[in-house]
Amino acid sequence: MVVDVQHLNKAFGRVKAVDDVSFNIHAGQIFGFVGPNGAGKTTTMRILATLEEQDSGDIFFDSFSIQEDPEAARRAIGYVPDSLPSHRDITVFEFLDFFGRAYGLRGGQLKSAISNVVEFTGLTEMLNKTLASLSKGIKQRVSVGRALIHNPPVMLLDEPAAGLDPRARVELRELLSALAGMNKAILISSHILTELTEICSGVVIIERGRILAQGTVSEILKKGHSNRNLSVSGTGETSFLKHELLSCPGVVDARIEGSKVVASIEGGDDIQAQILNQLVSKGCPICQFYAEETDLEDIFMEITKGEVQ
Amino acid sequence: MTKSNISSLGELLLDRMNPVLLREFRQLSRNRIVFSIIFLCLAAFMLTSGIYIMTAMDNLSTGSASLQQGKNLFNSLATMLILATFTFVPLYTGIRFGIERRKGKQDLMYTSSIPPWHIVFGKTMTAAQLTLLIFSLALPFLAFTYLLRGVDLANAALTILALFIGAVLGAQAVLLFMAIPMNLVVRIIISVLLILPTFFSYYIAASIVLLWSGGAMLAFGSPFSTHGFIPILIFALIIVISLSGTLFTMTTALIAPPSSNRAFAIRSYNSIAAIVIMAATLICLHKGSSLDAIAITASFLLAGACLSLIASSAETTTRSLRVQRTIPKNIFKRLLVFPLYQGRINGIVWSLGWMLVLSCIITAATVMDGEEPYEVASVLGSVILYTLGYTLVSIFIHRKLLIRKFKAGITPVITGVFILIMILAPFLFAFFSGSKSRIDKAWSLFSPVDDDYMGHISEHLTGAVILVVIGLILNGVPMIKSILSFCPLQKTAPGPAKVAEPEPETEPQNPLNCDDNPAVPKGPPAL
């Protein structure tokens, strides 16, 4: 299934929470939805989950629209909100059973759906425990299980890794990869960008309700960071090294960071080779020379301003 | 019957059950507050009964036994039942519903494919079940009162039935308030302040009347008392079902997606309910009751239509594509269904239509009873015009001054404040000017409250007409635009952009697949 978000707009009073947002996700893809707090991620997610209604624009699931047929959209979506279920008076089994029934599953279908979800999320031992007694990681698994109970082709996860310990995060990541393997389209919003880089096939960066960048992770990394950072250290004076670096072709800026000099360069590997050549020819005693890896976090910091509405 | 048969029967019953009701039952069985209330009720019933029995035995030994002991105990138990069911049941179901509906933290059942009416039905049934549970605790004690004498079984049964219906209606009213999109604390306060005391006082009065008048028929008044009890019961049940249905459809509409035609169910249901109530009244009339019954019933319905007109101003005029697609292309059909669609003007037209019909019925009934037709028609006309005038001016105030800060839902509140100001204005003028002449000329300030309303009827009529004309002038253009916009969708909605989907190399395995899962759409539904 293809989820096609077209020119989505939503305002709360004078504040534009979502401003002309358009993107699409294919089946089997995990799409990261990145942005600072108040960027409009949760509002977009809530519109997708039919909890809010857009002011204009539309969302299409293959060929039907969320505005035209919100009921069909609900059947196509599994939504995992940022808050975890914590009812004191309901067990994991009853929770899953209720949502199975809410999606129209009955009898053998319901039983099989619950057992499949329980097995997939590893909740077999927890079935008779009340939700309030579970750890955050287990609650998150229950939440994912609930969203999967009707086997939706699209999954929306709002900050699913927030507050989870490293082990629970790894487990969640594995769970998401497995879901993508089942050909589900997954949209996940998260602040933990390093994790997104590892599992996401595409990224949408949003700030103040507007999309700043979108594409595959490699595309974003390429587009977002025009300058690459070159880390150089030698046995001589760092100030001399900095001075020599600034005179090299393609070097835009250079700064001293401890015992090394970090130069910002414009261009690719050929410029990097030229710089190394020039430094050696000028007699600089180089012992380390490498281009720093750019990750999603760098791109995010570079293109967002951290502004909230 | 074998164990497996019983088990499969149980599963079949669970599958037939409303999922919300099933969840509520499960939660109810673990809720500490529910258990505490149940034990508290049981203790109170036992203690009260014990005290009465001891008093009765004491009286018996002293030779001063009273024949009213049973009645007294029944009354005490009924009061406790009212306290428990009229406060706890509506608040329990209402607050839970309100918390689930809290903005930003909505319960996930609202993202499932469960229809809104299933949710409201489940909640209402939970209230009924909880009320039944508390009543079942009291029933042995209530039955015991019969042995103490002084209790008429028919009256006792009727009182219990009335209390049960009242508690469920109270819970429905609180559910309606909790569905209104405003601050949860405000909703709870309004529920407690307005709804519960109203029901509470009404039912205390009703139970006292029923028990002490010596018969249910007397309690319902003279027009019915001589013609049998069954028509009264049927009439009362029709009223209860109508009220319950109205509360149900309104709550459902409030939790339905904004892109749906929320007004359709409410207006259709209330139109049918009003026809049934009027038909029932006519049957009562045929059986010999007074013409007053028709006038009274129609007046109540007219009051409802006035409230509906004010409430219509809260509706949004934008219609989703989904709603636009259902508008008929045929102009006559379109005119016919116009009042049943969501929108300010649509609501006003529907309410005005009913107001006119009911006014004609009231006028006809009172004229047949010997009243002057002009007087009745003038009073009704001025009431209708005042309501319409205040509403139209309030719509203008919202549209021009408050639209940036408040949604359309605030308009009925503006109307309420406006009416209050108009009522108080003559008194304030009189207070500040030191003259009482303003109070005498309340009509000159569009005030609907006048100590000599009939004496100033022509002035009131003129004032109300002026108010309506002002309202129409102020809202003329948007009203015409709204009427003209009520047409079927001309163009098809833009389809999804063609996106090249990457072909998966192999068919991925999905362990969550269950055969013929009805929850998952098989293909794109036809638009």
Side-chain angles (χ1 to χ4, degrees):
Chain A
M1 180 173 271
V2 178
V3 182
D4 189 15
V5 179
Q6 289 187 7
H7 308 290
L8 212 59
N9 284 286
K10 173 79 186 172
F12 294 106
R14 286 181 188 180
V15 179
K16 262 207 144 177
V18 180
D19 191 359
D20 199 29
V21 166
S22 301
F23 60 90
N24 53 60
I25 319 164
H26 300 286
Q29 277 190 338
I30 303 181
F31 236 73
F33 206 39
V34 185
N37 291 328
K41 301 188 298 291
T42 299
T43 308
T44 311
M45 287 270 194
R46 286 175 65 81
I47 294 171
L48 273 155
T50 71
L51 280 170
E52 299 274 0
E53 197 165 19
Q54 68 272 36
D55 296 335
S56 64
D58 209 345
I59 299 160
F60 293 89
F61 295 87
D62 277 346
S63 61
F64 66 88
S65 126
I66 200 167
Q67 202 175 28
E68 293 276 316
D69 202 347
E71 285 82 12
R74 284 175 183 185
R75 288 195 295 274
I77 280 173
Y79 175 57
V80 180
D82 53 355
S83 55
L84 298 170
S86 55
H87 304 67
R88 284 174 188 279
D89 46 11
I90 198 160
T91 65
V92 173
F93 171 78
E94 288 166 354
F95 188 67
L96 296 174
D97 178 78
F98 167 70
F99 281 99
R101 288 174 195 277
Y103 282 104
L105 302 174
R106 295 287 187 274
Q109 279 182 344
L110 179 65
K111 277 183 185 169
S112 122
I114 293 174
S115 68
N116 286 343
V117 159
V118 165
E119 196 182 328
F120 181 72
T121 50
L123 289 168
T124 317
E125 302 294 314
M126 311 288 164
L127 278 179
N128 292 319
K129 290 191 174 177
T130 57
L131 292 172
S133 66
L134 304 176
S135 68
K136 271 189 180 175
I138 303 291
K139 277 181 191 169
Q140 190 59 273
R141 277 199 261 164
V142 173
S143 200
V144 172
R146 182 208 58 77
L148 283 170
I149 196 82
H150 58 300
N151 193 15
V154 181
M155 289 286 290
L156 307 172
L157 297 100
D158 194 3
E159 300 288 353
L164 299 188
D165 62 40
R167 176 176 284 277
R169 277 184 197 171
V170 171
E171 284 171 359
L172 181 73
R173 211 161 58 203
E174 284 167 359
L175 211 65
L176 291 174
S177 302
L179 284 172
M182 290 177 207
N183 215 19
K184 293 187 188 299
I186 301 169
L187 181 65
I188 169 172
S189 82
S190 180
H191 287 303
I192 303 149
L193 302 170
T194 44
E195 287 192 356
L196 286 183
T197 321
E198 284 175 40
I199 57 166
C200 289
S201 39
V203 178
V204 176
I205 300 178
I206 182 170
E207 189 174 39
R208 289 176 68 87
R210 285 187 178 193
I211 289 183
L212 301 179
Q214 66 168 306
T216 61
V217 174
S218 55
E219 275 172 5
I220 294 276
L221 291 178
K222 259 185 205 169
K223 268 191 229 166
H225 215 63
S226 53
N227 296 351
R228 76 166 68 173
N229 283 343
L230 205 60
S231 185
V232 187
S233 64
T235 49
E237 280 287 314
T238 46
S239 55
F240 172 71
L241 190 59
K242 182 188 169 186
H243 180 261
E244 287 304 322
L245 267 169
L246 283 168
S247 65
C248 291
V251 177
V252 181
D253 187 30
R255 62 187 185 275
I256 297 168
E257 282 183 10
S259 60
K260 64 180 183 182
V261 179
V262 178
S264 180
I265 63 163
E266 265 179 358
D269 293 346
D270 47 339
I271 291 287
Q272 218 172 299
Q274 276 184 39
I275 294 168
L276 184 61
N277 264 337
Q278 195 169 318
L279 288 175
V280 173
S281 65
K282 284 189 176 177
C284 292
I286 305 294
C287 58
Q288 262 192 338
F289 184 94
Y290 63 92
E292 285 181 351
E293 286 284 321
T294 310
D295 61 14
L296 206 54
E297 205 156 276
D298 296 325
I299 307 294
F300 178 76
M301 293 305 287
E302 190 177 299
I303 63 176
T304 61
K305 292 168 188 156
E307 290 173 354
V308 289
Q309 299 182 81
Chain B
M1 199 178 241
T2 63
K3 199 178 172 184
S4 65
N5 278 350
I6 294 169
S7 163
S8 59
L9 187 70
E11 279 178 19
L12 193 73
L13 281 173
L14 288 183
D15 283 350
R16 297 269 171 191
M17 203 185 238
N18 180 312
V20 180
L21 183 62
L22 180 62
R23 186 177 101 160
E24 291 283 340
F25 275 4
R26 283 169 169 167
Q27 289 181 294
L28 206 74
S29 66
R30 287 200 192 91
N31 196 295
R32 287 175 193 169
I33 300 169
V34 173
F35 268 90
S36 309
I37 293 288
I38 284 170
F39 279 113
L40 204 68
C41 285
L42 201 59
F45 295 148
M46 284 174 81
L47 195 70
T48 315
S49 302
I51 291 168
Y52 269 92
I53 290 165
M54 282 167 75
T55 317
M57 284 171 76
D58 193 38
N59 288 343
L60 207 64
S61 61
T62 55
S64 57
S66 164
L67 288 173
Q68 299 297 319
Q69 282 287 357
K71 192 182 274 182
N72 292 337
L73 178 56
F74 187 92
N75 239 358
S76 303
L77 292 172
T79 311
M80 280 177 210
L81 266 181
I82 290 168
L83 265 170
T85 53
F86 278 64
T87 50
F88 174 65
V89 175
L91 284 178
Y92 173 81
T93 42
I95 293 173
R96 280 180 74 96
F97 184 59
I99 290 169
E100 286 165 2
R101 293 278 305 153
R102 205 162 26 158
K103 182 117 180 126
K105 288 193 183 256
Q106 274 153 319
D107 191 284
L108 288 162
M109 73 175 147
Y110 296 97
T111 63
S112 72
S113 54
I114 195 162
W117 75 268
H118 270 231
I119 297 173
V120 181
F121 182 74
K123 296 283 174 187
T124 311
M125 284 298 111
T126 308
Q129 194 265 349
L130 194 53
T131 311
L132 213 58
L133 190 70
I134 296 171
F135 270 61
S136 66
L137 290 174
L139 271 180
F141 300 98
L142 290 170
F144 182 71
T145 60
Y146 184 67
L147 298 176
L148 292 177
R149 295 195 174 189
V151 177
D152 169 11
L153 269 184
N155 279 316
L158 199 72
T159 309
I160 292 167
L161 180 71
L163 291 178
F164 176 76
I165 291 169
V168 178
L169 282 176
Q172 278 194 284
V174 176
L175 284 176
L176 171 67
F177 263 81
M178 290 298 169
I180 295 171
M182 60 178 169
N183 185 286
L184 179 65
V185 180
V186 176
R187 277 180 284 171
I188 294 172
I189 291 170
I190 291 174
S191 301
V192 173
L193 289 181
L194 288 177
I195 300 170
L196 299 178
T198 313
F199 277 98
F200 188 67
S201 50
Y202 170 71
Y203 272 93
I204 282 187
S207 67
I208 289 168
V209 167
L210 280 170
L211 282 167
W212 294 100
S213 63
M217 285 183 241
L218 285 173
F220 281 92
S222 57
F224 303 104
S225 59
T226 52
H227 299 282
F229 176 65
I230 300 298
I232 309 162
L233 194 67
I234 292 170
F235 190 76
L237 281 176
I238 288 171
I239 300 285
V240 165
I241 291 165
S242 304
L243 185 59
S244 172
T246 304
L247 293 169
F248 180 81
T249 47
M250 283 170 78
T251 314
T252 306
L254 281 169
I255 68 163
S259 60
S260 58
N261 181 14
R262 289 165 151 188
F264 182 79
I266 301 176
R267 291 192 192 130
S268 307
Y269 177 84
N270 282 316
S271 299
I272 294 165
I275 292 166
V276 171
I277 290 171
M278 286 315 299
T281 317
L282 280 171
I283 291 166
C284 287
L285 181 75
H286 181 70
K287 294 275 178 189
S289 92
S290 155
L291 276 163
D292 289 345
I294 293 205
I296 292 166
T297 312
S299 300
F300 271 109
L301 292 174
L302 182 69
C306 284
L307 287 175
S308 154
L309 193 144
I310 295 169
S312 302
S313 61
E315 291 180 28
T316 51
T317 43
T318 46
R319 289 179 201 94
S320 67
L321 293 172
R322 187 182 173 197
V323 174
Q324 281 183 55
R325 280 186 196 282
T326 61
I327 299 173
K329 285 182 180 164
N330 183 296
I331 185 86
F332 296 108
K333 278 186 188 172
R334 216 186 305 164
L335 278 173
L336 206 66
V337 297
F338 181 81
L340 298 178
Y341 273 71
Q342 190 170 306
R344 277 175 166 166
I345 305 303
N346 307 62
I348 288 171
V349 169
W350 183 82
S351 308
L352 279 177
W354 267 112
M355 282 171 156
L356 287 174
V357 171
L358 293 166
S359 300
C360 291
I361 293 169
I362 296 167
T363 311
T366 45
V367 167
M368 282 165 76
D369 229 15
E371 296 279 338
E372 275 294 313
Y374 172 76
E375 280 185 4
V376 180
S378 303
V379 172
L380 292 173
S382 64
V383 168
I384 293 169
L385 289 169
Y386 266 136
T387 314
L388 180 63
Y390 290 132
T391 308
L392 288 175
V393 175
S394 304
I395 289 174
F396 175 77
I397 293 170
H398 171 257
R399 205 165 48 77
K400 284 288 171 192
L401 304 174
L402 301 169
I403 199 157
R404 281 170 186 258
K405 285 190 177 175
F406 298 101
K407 289 185 176 175
I410 197 77
T411 321
V413 180
I414 301 171
T415 312
V417 174
F418 188 26
I419 293 173
L420 198 66
I421 291 170
M422 287 295 110
I423 291 170
L424 291 176
F427 296 95
L428 291 174
F429 268 107
F431 179 76
F432 287 112
S433 63
S435 143
K436 280 191 175 178
S437 63
R438 269 295 172 195
I439 301 175
D440 299 337
K441 290 180 181 175
W443 48 268
S444 64
L445 291 164
F446 306 119
S447 173
V449 175
D450 188 348
D451 55 359
D452 186 17
Y453 198 91
M454 285 310 294
H456 299 135
I457 190 67
S458 54
E459 287 87 347
H460 277 293
L461 261 177
T462 315
V465 168
I466 292 169
L467 203 62
V468 170
V469 171
I470 292 170
L472 286 173
I473 292 167
L474 294 175
N475 295 293
V477 177
M479 278 172 85
I480 292 166
K481 275 185 184 171
S482 173
I483 293 166
L484 292 176
S485 72
F486 187 74
C487 52
L489 201 65
Q490 296 299 318
K491 292 174 191 169
T492 50
K498 291 282 175 197
V499 190
E501 189 178 356
E503 283 292 322
E505 285 173 8
T506 51
E507 189 60 38
Q509 213 181 355
N510 185 352
L512 301 170
N513 253 340
C514 44
D515 296 334
D516 304 324
N517 186 343
V520 183
K522 294 284 176 281
L527 289 177

